[in-house]
């Protein structure tokens, strides 16, 4: 069939409808572009699960808070298109801002509770922007399987919540975090890092790795586990925004349910220079994010 590049919402809707009318299933991978191996892993996962795959590529203005990098966010349509073509993507939907937010647009999707803590506390309005644009994509795509990365763990939970609450015909799949060989979580924003920052950025995953090891050895004191991360981040001179341990489903803070038993989310956001990086691990579930033990020892 080949890759079909679509700019119009109406055309995207009818292309998705036409896939289903042929008795085929649709996989949907929403992205902001500047595609890397993390995005492509979602595409490959989608291809295993569904007969046709649509990727959306849209730098969504409503999810950027004032002062964030909306203007300078990387926009690399041609290499993105090539990667999608090579990966066997069927539809690439690249709408303009006006197409997604036409004149008069005045509706927002706000998820209560789960969107308030972690990143939501610092990026006020961010998840409302995400939920709104993803709801629009779901509205256009119709019944499908939509894939999201666990790198944006809170985002995944927010999307699962509103898809269920709004009774949308979408099956949500969370895909494991794809990492660089040294453990750094892949991100379109990693390209902002200088050589020195790129080296220091691994402090986050090295901290998660140590906490994961301690958890596996039986440590259940949240302060001790959080300190594993904080020590690495401080030593690498990153600026910690938050490190928190929460229930992996409700995202409620550990402090409200101190029985941290089998499974807990450890989520981190830190600035490396001007670049905000996030990462997380589900303690008691995810494998160690850094393969070699020796990599956890140095800053
Ligand atoms: P973005 O373009 O940053 O909005 O990301 C688009 C989708 O790719 C989201 O579902 C992200 O969670 C996912 N994603 C981004 N980076 C990674 C990664 N390193 N591993 C897994 N999924 C990722």
């Amino acid at each position: 069939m080949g890759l079909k590049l679509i700019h119009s919402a109406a055309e995207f809707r009818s292309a998705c409808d036409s896939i289903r009318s042929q008795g085929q299933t649709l996989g949907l991978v929403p992205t902001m572009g500047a595609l890397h191996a993390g995005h492509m892993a979602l595409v490959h996962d989608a291809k295993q699960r569904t007969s046709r795959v649509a990727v959306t590529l849209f730098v969504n203005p409503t999810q950027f808070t004032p002062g964030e990098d909306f203007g300078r966010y990387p926009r690399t349509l041609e290499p993105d298109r090539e990667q999608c073509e090579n990966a066997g993507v069927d539809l690439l939907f690249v709408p303009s801002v006006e197409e997604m937010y036409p004149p008069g647009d005045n509706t927002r999707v706000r998820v209560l509770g789960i969107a308030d803590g972690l990143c939501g506390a610092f990026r006020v309005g961010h998840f409302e922007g995400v939920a709104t644009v993803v709801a629009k994509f779901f509205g256009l795509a119709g019944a499908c399987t939509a894939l999201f990365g666990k790198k944006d763990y809170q985002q995944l939970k927010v999307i699962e919540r509103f898809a269920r609450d709004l009774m949308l015909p979408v099956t949500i799949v969370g895909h494991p975090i794809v990492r660089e060989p040294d453990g750094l979580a892949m991100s379109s924003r990693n390209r902002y890092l200088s050589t020195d920052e790129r080296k220091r950025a691994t402090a986050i995953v090295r901290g998660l790795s140590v906490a994961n090891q301690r958890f596996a050895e039986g440590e259940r004191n949240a302060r001790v586990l959080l300190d594993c991360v904080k020590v690495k981040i401080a030593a690498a001179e990153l600026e910690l925004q938050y490190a928190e341990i929460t229930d992996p489903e409700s995202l409620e803070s550990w402090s409200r349910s101190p029985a941290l038993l089998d499974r807990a989310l450890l989520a981190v956001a830190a600035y490396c220079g001007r670049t905000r990086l996030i990462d997380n691990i589900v303690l008691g579930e995810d494998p160690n994010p850094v393969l070699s033990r020796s990599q956890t020892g140095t800053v």
Side-chain angles (χ1 to χ4, degrees), residues 36-293:
H36 51 65
H39 297 115
M40 299 321 289
L42 302 192
V43 169
H44 294 305
D45 190 344
K47 284 187 69 76
Q48 302 296 312
R49 294 170 190 270
T50 58
S51 25
R52 295 277 178 240
V53 174
V55 171
T56 69
L57 203 158
F58 180 61
V59 184
N60 173 37
T62 64
Q63 71 187 72
F64 289 79
T65 61
E68 287 189 343
D69 55 348
F70 176 68
R72 70 179 184 121
Y73 196 85
R75 290 160 170 88
T76 56
L77 176 57
E78 191 41 37
D80 289 353
R81 196 195 60 75
E82 259 175 49
Q83 285 196 71
C84 287
E85 188 155 40
N86 295 339
V89 170
D90 299 282
L91 306 177
L92 180 59
F93 179 42
V94 189
S96 64
V97 171
E98 294 67 38
E99 193 70 11
M100 294 309 293
Y101 296 97
D105 173 272
N106 207 12
T107 299
R108 294 293 176 267
V109 176
R110 184 154 68 92
V111 177
L112 308 178
I114 216 162
D116 295 339
L118 303 176
C119 290
F122 296 92
R123 306 183 73 191
V124 177
H126 167 70
F127 287 116
E128 187 173 301
V130 169
T132 299
V133 81
V134 173
K136 286 171 185 263
F137 288 138
F138 288 173
L140 293 174
C144 65
T145 297
L147 291 95
F148 297 88
K150 292 184 183 174
K151 153 122 190 318
D152 301 277
Y153 191 95
Q154 187 176 17
Q155 168 175 287
L156 170 65
K157 293 294 150 187
V158 165
I159 291 165
E160 284 176 352
R161 185 75 260 162
F162 82 73
R164 203 175 312 144
D165 291 351
L166 299 181
M167 302 175 182
L168 303 178
V170 180
T171 302
I172 310 290
V173 173
H175 188 90
I177 301 176
V178 179
R179 299 179 179 281
E180 300 286 357
D182 63 3
L184 180 69
M186 288 191 180
S187 164
S188 305
R189 290 188 168 99
N190 290 350
R191 66 181 69 196
Y192 297 154
L193 300 170
S194 68
T195 310
D196 172 60
E197 287 170 347
R198 171 64 187 79
K199 281 187 201 140
R200 292 191 287 122
T202 61
I204 302 173
V205 68
R206 285 185 283 109
L208 292 178
S209 172
V210 176
N212 190 53
Q213 178 101 10
R214 296 293 299 272
F215 191 89
E217 289 162 4
E219 181 61 67
R220 291 295 182 274
N221 182 323
R223 195 166 308 144
V224 172
L225 294 167
L226 289 172
D227 277 348
C228 298
V229 174
K230 290 179 182 175
V231 163
K232 292 285 181 199
I233 285 179
E237 297 183 352
L238 307 192
E239 191 192 321
L240 183 70
Q241 186 173 61
Y242 69 78
E244 278 194 49
I245 294 182
T246 73
D247 180 278
E249 301 310 321
S250 69
L251 305 191
E252 276 199 52
S253 170
W254 160 86
S255 54
R256 274 190 238 148
S257 56
L260 174 63
L261 294 174
D262 300 331
R263 237 175 124 245
L265 174 72
L266 170 47
V268 180
Y271 279 91
C272 185
R274 285 175 65 202
T275 305
R276 185 175 179 276
L277 301 173
I278 58 170
D279 204 344
N280 70 80
I281 188 166
V282 179
L283 301 170
E285 180 175 293
D286 290 339
N288 198 301
V290 179
L291 296 177
S292 155
R293 186 85 179 105

